[in-house]
Amino acid sequence: MPHDTISSTPRAANASAQALIGYYRFTDIFFEWHLALPNQADVSPLKALIAYNALVHAEHPLRKEGVNGIELYLGTFENGEMRLLFSSAQVEYLRYWLLNMGLTEKPIPLPASEYLIQPNDLITCSPNVYNDAAALKRAIRGIDKNNKRLRGTGTLLTARRFAFERTRTLWAARLGTWCALDFEAWDMDHTALTEFGWSLGRWVDGELVREDGHLIVKEHRMYTQHYVPNNREFYNFGESEVVTKNVFRQRIQDLINTHREAGPLFLVFHDNSQDVKYLKSDAVKAVDRLEYLLPDSPQTGEIYVVDTADLFCALEGDTSNNKRSLERVCRHLQIPTKFLHNAGNDAHYTLDAMIAMASGDPVDQQREQRWPKRTEDSKPKVEFRDWEEDSDFSDMEGVVGPPVEADDEF
């Protein structure tokens, strides 16, 4: 790994940090950075600082206050490959920590700029916390294994197809607990959580058992939505519970901890980004680390993410970053819905959608079964008809059936 000579002094390093802000691959920092250092006396201090056991130690300089482990970043590229990352700020901090501790005579050089990953190179990038060296090693091996499977395909669709088939495999194995979650927040202030809903499935004596629930935050019950329907009071699957903010947080934490301790826990979302932020927020603090890659052998105590928006993209053959709404996905899967934007209802329908896809045939066979002869070899995406896409058309279909072409003799 070459280094940037312009960054070998504090002044130049600060200027470089302002100009180049992004991420470095964990493997580049771990395996390559020390090889490029011009001063061999600096090699051992750097290697000791970024060793697996050191990174997860409670007194490591990168440990954030209140975070139980080393916070790294999981980034996804457009071709579907994922990488574990250090932020450029973390790399800068390591250089000056070594200097301030007297372990190096001057700041060690930064990795060369071509190793820097810009934020716009990534489709998604989210923090992940690791507090155990074995878990960190396992995460890196899992990421590498998945990337090797995807190499040469070069499409986001390939990653989605892989996730679809892995979800089918694990669901068929009847492993762990599969729990769909959904939060609702006030649309004038997204930090004000108003609802939480869950719908889970687990196996008892070989039979699938479902459980649903819906919590309403007492302190925010009077908040009125301005841009989405106000369906807080219209829960379809039992009685809503009105609880204080403190009880709200504790109930969610207990739900997660109970089921992760009983076996692998699969959290099912529809477009997970916002709900994951809520789970990690100060208002909930239910998780600090999630696994976004489904492994061959899920481990008890680990939490894995399943996203029905991505599963449906795989099923319909969508290669873009556009994801369909839950309402649209359920309509195409022929799952009736009522009072969406109620967190409990949304969670229930999300799990229904996941089960519908995961319990079906392999992705290509299932696509053809659901929507026969809707794709072409050069265009893998299903071509839906107007009456399938438009809710107004769908409402009329229930009365008069799908539209038919006009008869020329009429």
Side-chain angles (χ1 to χ4, degrees), residues 4-259:
D4 274 346
T5 56
I6 62 169
S7 300
S8 60
T9 66
R11 180 176 297 175
N14 289 339
S16 176
Q18 291 174 4
L20 298 175
I21 297 175
Y23 304 92
Y24 294 98
R25 289 176 174 86
F26 179 95
T27 50
D28 286 342
I29 296 300
F30 191 88
F31 294 110
E32 304 291 336
W33 192 13
H34 70 275
L35 298 177
L37 297 184
N39 186 353
Q40 288 302 300
D42 297 336
V43 171
S44 292
L46 175 61
K47 290 180 67 175
L49 185 60
I50 60 175
Y52 290 113
N53 287 330
L55 286 171
V56 300
H57 195 277
E59 296 183 5
H60 193 276
L62 292 183
R63 177 74 71 102
K64 288 184 176 180
E65 184 177 354
V67 177
N68 183 29
I70 176 73
E71 184 176 83
L72 299 172
Y73 298 86
L74 196 60
T76 305
F77 293 87
E78 285 193 7
N79 64 358
E81 290 191 8
M82 302 180 80
R83 296 288 181 181
L84 195 63
L85 308 169
F86 284 99
S87 72
S88 57
Q90 289 176 314
V91 172
E92 283 280 8
Y93 192 85
L94 292 176
R95 299 170 66 225
Y96 285 99
W97 187 88
L98 289 170
L99 176 66
N100 292 335
M101 292 296 104
L103 299 173
T104 60
E105 293 183 357
K106 59 182 180 180
I108 61 176
L110 280 170
S113 57
E114 59 260 32
Y115 287 90
L116 187 72
I117 299 168
Q118 302 289 348
N120 58 11
D121 293 331
L122 302 169
I123 296 174
T124 62
C125 187
S126 60
N128 244 23
V129 175
Y130 301 89
N131 57 15
D132 177 77
L136 179 55
K137 292 178 184 178
R138 188 165 60 246
I140 294 167
R141 287 197 301 268
I143 292 168
D144 184 61
K145 186 176 181 180
N146 185 65
N147 287 341
K148 286 179 179 177
R149 287 171 174 157
L150 296 175
R151 202 156 290 149
T153 58
T155 67
L156 178 59
L157 179 58
T158 300
R160 288 168 170 167
R161 289 166 57 90
F162 175 78
F164 189 100
E165 292 305 320
R166 181 52 55 83
T167 301
R168 288 182 59 254
T169 299
L170 295 175
W171 177 256
R174 301 185 175 188
L175 293 173
T177 300
W178 299 68
C179 183
L181 305 180
D182 186 71
F183 289 91
E184 293 291 324
W186 188 34
D187 55 14
M188 303 301 289
D189 177 3
H190 288 280
T191 65
L193 299 179
T194 58
E195 302 171 59
F196 171 74
W198 73 94
S199 182
L200 64 83
R202 58 191 178 90
W203 283 268
V204 177
D205 297 328
E207 297 295 326
L208 179 64
V209 176
R210 292 281 297 264
E211 173 190 316
D212 293 88
H214 181 229
L215 304 179
I216 297 173
V217 178
K218 181 179 180 180
E219 293 89 336
H220 300 159
R221 190 174 190 180
M222 301 309 295
Y223 288 8
T224 300
Q225 305 286 28
H226 293 75
Y227 303 107
V228 296
N230 285 285
N231 286 333
R232 186 182 311 145
E233 308 297 333
F234 299 101
Y235 179 46
N236 298 333
F237 303 100
E239 294 293 329
S240 301
E241 298 179 65
V242 180
V243 297
T244 65
K245 289 190 289 186
N246 288 337
V247 173
F248 182 81
R249 177 195 295 138
Q250 190 63 53
R251 289 284 298 278
I252 298 171
Q253 292 175 353
D254 291 346
L255 177 72
I256 298 292
N257 291 332
T258 297
H259 291 288

Side-chain angles (χ1 to χ4, degrees), residues 36 40 53 64 112 164 217 223 261 271 276 279 286 329 345 384:
Q40 288 302 300
N53 287 330
K64 288 184 176 180
F164 189 100
V217 178
Y223 288 8
E261 291 169 1
D271 200 356
V276 168
L279 274 178
V329 166
N345 297 341
F384 289 108

Side-chain angles (χ1 to χ4, degrees), residues 323-370:
K323 296 180 181 179
R324 293 184 179 272
S325 68
L326 177 60
E327 185 274 335
R328 190 69 59 88
V329 166
C330 287
R331 188 191 316 156
H332 287 312
L333 295 176
Q334 298 184 352
I335 298 171
T337 61
K338 187 178 181 181
F339 297 125
L340 292 171
H341 294 288
N342 171 292
N345 297 341
D346 285 3
H348 185 94
Y349 297 133
T350 296
L351 191 63
D352 281 351
M354 193 282 297
I355 293 173
M357 291 183 280
S359 60
D361 285 320
V363 62
D364 294 322
Q365 186 176 347
Q366 189 174 152
R367 181 188 305 112
E368 188 62 21
Q369 290 169 348
R370 292 182 180 276

